[in-house]
Amino acid sequence: LDVGTGSGILAIAAAKLGAGHVTAVELDEDAAASALGNIRANDAMDRIDLIHGDILDAGLIRTKAAYRIITANLTSGILKLLLPRFAELLAADGVLILSGILDAQEDGLRESLENTGYHASYIGRKGEWIAIEAARGFCFCIG
């Protein structure tokens, strides 16, 4: 599941790297149109379902706890808002891959992850940006 797919690049990469099926969700109409064009251009229409809508709309995706991976390249504030919804959609052994986070927002987002039952298992850093991989339950977590 790719939330806030934007251009669709993460969904396309997942499909190209062997994901059996990918669901990409985008709220912005222009970004959804761009993603659709990119999915077509990359011959991935048969492997990616693009949904234009709000992931917080419970009727948008009815599947519960089925996604093994959820990616979201969004701001920290939006990610915090979406964490409870991700908990509904992520499989028990699934992984969140979150990016678009400023390093100054790391502590707050990690606290929100922990309050939602997740633990950061990896943090990648590049300049002022970070990406967080998180999972539920026991893990060999970073400090």
Side-chain angles (χ1 to χ4, degrees), residues 101 103 124-131:
I101 307 156
D103 59 2
R125 302 176 190 282
K126 185 167 187 174
E128 66 181 341
W129 297 99
I130 65 168

Side-chain angles (χ1 to χ4, degrees), residues 7-17 34-48:
S7 68
I9 189 68
L10 295 177
I12 293 165
K16 297 279 185 182
L17 290 171
S34 174
L36 181 60
N38 290 330
I39 292 166
R40 281 188 181 136
N42 282 274
D43 195 29
M45 291 293 294
D46 60 332
R47 289 167 286 159
I48 300 173

Side-chain angles (χ1 to χ4, degrees), residues 9-78:
I9 189 68
L10 295 177
I12 293 165
K16 297 279 185 182
L17 290 171
H21 195 78
V22 180
T23 302
V25 179
E26 178 54 58
L27 180 62
D28 182 82
E29 187 174 349
D30 291 334
S34 174
L36 181 60
N38 290 330
I39 292 166
R40 281 188 181 136
N42 282 274
D43 195 29
M45 291 293 294
D46 60 332
R47 289 167 286 159
I48 300 173
D49 285 333
L50 177 62
I51 300 172
H52 175 236
D54 188 341
I55 192 73
L56 292 175
D57 177 357
L60 187 69
I61 296 179
R62 291 189 174 90
T63 305
K64 299 269 186 198
Y67 293 98
R68 297 283 320 273
I69 299 173
I70 296 177
T71 61
N73 182 24
L74 300 164
T75 64
S76 178
I78 293 172

